[in-house]
Amino acid sequence: MAKITIKDVAREAGVSISTVSNALNDVDVLNPVTKSHVLKVAKQLNYVPNLNGKQLRSGKTKMLGFFTTSVSGPYFYKLVESMSRECDRLGYGLNVFITKDKQVIMSNILGRRVDGAIIYEELRIDEEDISAMEEEKIKAVFLDRVLHNETMGSVIFDSFVAGYEATKYLISLGHKKIAYISGVDTMFDSVERKEGYLAALRQYQIPVIEDYIMQGYFEEESTYNAVKSFLHLHPDKVPDAFLAGNDLSAIGCIQALKTLGYGVPLDISVMGFDDIDIAQYYTPPLTTVRNQIAKQGILAINQLVRLIQKKEQGVVQKLACELVVRGSSHVKINSD
Amino acid sequence: MAKITIKDVAREAGVSISTVSNALNDVDVLNPVTKSHVLKVAKQLNYVPNLNGKQLRSGKTKMLGFFTTSVSGPYFYKLVESMSRECDRLGYGLNVFITKDKQVIMSNILGRRVDGAIIYEELRIDEEDISAMEEEKIKAVFLDRVLHNETMGSVIFDSFVAGYEATKYLISLGHKKIAYISGVDTMFDSVERKEGYLAALRQYQIPVIEDYIMQGYFEEESTYNAVKSFLHLHPDKVPDAFLAGNDLSAIGCIQALKTLGYGVPLDISVMGFDDIDIAQYYTPPLTTVRNQIAKQGILAINQLVRLIQKKEQGVVQKLACELVVRGSSHVKINSD
DNA sequence: CTTTGCTATGAATGCGTTTTCATGAGTTAA
DNA sequence: TTAACTCATGAAAACGCATTCATAGCAAAG
């Protein structure tokens, strides 16, 4: 049997197409008897509305798109999970697009496959595309870029404060020689964390030593190598503590220190960022800074829906971080 | 400015709508000069085709849907990543729907928002829905259910063999008293793993002891409690080894054993399933059985696309597992 | 010079739905 | 009795596009 359409339901129920449409969409102009009759027939025929027809006509899809370059790692699935739940609550569907192709993003948004977009794309969308989106009054919320105008906004982590607070904590343990293992310098959070680190040092009048800032690229292995070669080169400059750009980097750092015979945390404190799943199971358990990932998802979806409903203009929302103290950090033991 | 449609491009280029359509869709009947002119005008106007119109008319969306009840945990993101990559390669988009509402699944599939579906839904779709899908010739591939007909197939892990091989390995280490910590008995993989365990014991003529089979529900804490209370109740029946339903469960088990003063692996071997990220970082690193998650994703997408293109009927594909030996297992030390 | 065949293009139709507007029946007021 | 007004329903248009089919133009064949 061919696909049942609204037409078939109308014929079978002995009413017009528009009556069927009104019945299905709860438009309150119908005689209750007619309505229930139509619904009964529809159910009996196993009628399912064609979403493409519906969307074409109404101009709405009731779908939100999450566009991201990657979905691996706990950040993404926690985010996706919270957004998904919030979408359910608000009567929207969530659509996850994983792609590095900017074209895909633009054609899906501008081609109206979704009513609005949450975007995490590591800064690949350039000003020109932003303008195109602005022109078309596309509704979007960015998770890794600070931006707000009539139809677009942001929800981001306050990574500057995260870097600042982490450093302040290490200082409070008595550490002065604090090394920083930088992440990827093109990423927003990476840059902000480092700035926070630098700001804290300045605040407590601890001189910034360039050699103490190394590149870990957010990876375990790169960090392992970086830390090892640093200590090889500067055996006289062993830091009191390492602040790594993220937890994976912190693990690489600790592995290197273990290999070289340093005890963590007794000889050297190490901390990271993110509080990934592994952090609490690692030996020693990682001291780290946790972001409110679920909250970011919830705020983003809510702002997006408000934008779609034109209840407000775009805003920038910043989320506070949370220090998680575990076993990889320790008060400075005076070894003089 | 209002949204640009194909009509505007046609007017501006001085040609008909159909010519624009042919130019954009690479239909090879056009004069190359006309074609390039049309494309130039389209680009100049920043024309982006409305996907709803396109899809309604063509009956195709070039989108595949992944329907799942959850996206948390490494299994899902690894799966999603591999499927996404494969979709890209084949010229499809991937659409992730996270929902526990069966209705959402059915209306998206039957409402033709996607050309085909990959389904992981923990057996919530009943026979009636399967029939409805069959009737409509919906193309679908299931990841947690064995099923094949003209338009639907499956790609699953051979969890029976996984359970069998894991048990066989523990036996090869000299263990005889092997306890099993069961997962969730409504889930396909969980049941199969346990059957494999039982089959291996039978094979090597080791009697099955009912007390050695406990419930861990795939959770760390449940397992922790189960193991603790078991050893409390049966101090005379300490097993040589524990085979846990998954890695999280194995971790719970090891925590309990540590607490009670048993050494892992010297006193007791423990192993799990899945090889989650934490497994290699845990102390001791977990011996486990790894599934070919990425391969599952790739096979599923490819089968689905073949079904859509009507190149073949649905089939059931089973994936072999892989034993990963790490530090949580050890040859039996005779303590007599 | 007419006919045939071929190519490039345009007019028109329809995909399945929502939505606007008209219509006819029934009710009330004058 | 008739005009005015409700109210439930239906006819038809429109959303943006792909696609079918007709046709104009032109070259080759008769």
Side-chain angles (χ1 to χ4, degrees), chain A residues 222-259:
Chain A
S222 303
T223 304
Y224 179 88
N225 294 329
V227 169
K228 250 185 144 171
S229 73
F230 169 82
L231 291 174
H232 242 263
L233 244 63
H234 307 281
D236 52 322
K237 281 189 179 175
V238 180
D240 300 336
F242 281 88
L243 177 55
N246 69 0
D247 288 343
L248 230 43
S249 198
I251 286 174
C253 174
I254 294 176
Q255 297 283 31
L257 294 177
K258 276 184 187 168
T259 307

Side-chain angles (χ1 to χ4, degrees), chain B residues 8 19 27 45 71 77 80 104 110 135 243 249-250 290 310:
Chain B
D8 302 311
T19 298
V27 177
L45 293 179
V71 78
Y77 73 72
V80 167
V104 172
L110 296 173
E135 178 107 1
L243 177 56
S249 198
R290 182 190 295 155
K310 295 186 183 166

Side-chain angles (χ1 to χ4, degrees), chain A residues 181 193 218-219 244-251 271-274 286:
Chain A
I181 305 169
R193 284 170 185 172
F218 282 155
E219 291 165 2
N246 69 0
D247 288 343
L248 230 43
S249 198
I251 286 174
M271 67 180 288
F273 291 90
D274 291 345
L286 251 47

Side-chain angles (χ1 to χ4, degrees), chain B residues 20 45-46 52 61 93 108 111-112 137 146 176 209 236 276 285 293 311:
Chain B
V20 177
L45 293 179
N46 286 321
N52 297 313
T61 65
N108 276 288
R112 314 288 166 173
K137 301 222 177 300
V146 176
K176 290 214 159 54
I209 300 172
D236 52 323
I276 60 178
I293 301 175
K311 284 194 183 158

Side-chain angles (χ1 to χ4, degrees), chain B residues 175-316:
Chain B
H175 302 311
K176 290 214 159 54
K177 292 182 279 180
I178 302 173
Y180 188 82
I181 304 169
S182 182
V184 177
D185 286 346
T186 55
M187 289 174 68
F188 180 77
D189 289 322
S190 185
V191 172
E192 294 284 302
R193 284 171 184 171
K194 190 167 163 185
E195 289 299 322
Y197 157 79
L198 294 172
L201 292 187
R202 271 196 302 275
Q203 172 85 19
Y204 288 88
Q205 291 163 14
I206 296 174
V208 175
I209 300 172
E210 275 305 322
D211 285 340
Y212 275 174
I213 300 179
M214 48 202 95
Q215 295 287 331
Y217 303 105
F218 283 154
E219 291 165 2
E220 185 182 343
E221 200 178 329
S222 303
T223 304
Y224 179 89
N225 294 330
V227 170
K228 248 186 145 169
S229 74
F230 169 81
L231 291 173
H232 241 262
L233 244 62
H234 307 282
D236 52 323
K237 281 189 178 176
V238 179
D240 301 334
F242 281 88
L243 177 56
N246 68 1
D247 289 342
L248 231 44
S249 198
I251 286 174
C253 174
I254 295 175
Q255 298 284 31
L257 294 177
K258 277 183 186 168
T259 308
L260 296 172
Y262 294 97
V264 176
L266 290 187
D267 296 334
I268 301 177
S269 288
V270 176
M271 67 179 288
F273 291 90
D274 291 346
D275 191 24
I276 60 178
D277 293 342
I278 299 165
Q280 61 172 310
Y281 291 104
Y282 192 69
T283 308
L286 250 45
T287 292
T288 184
V289 181
R290 182 190 295 155
N291 279 323
Q292 303 183 65
I293 301 175
K295 190 157 183 188
Q296 186 186 35
I298 293 170
L299 289 181
I301 294 293
N302 278 284
Q303 182 178 167
L304 184 56
V305 169
R306 286 197 302 273
L307 288 169
I308 291 170
Q309 298 172 343
K310 295 186 183 166
K311 284 194 183 158
E312 70 172 37
Q313 307 226 339
V315 293
V316 174

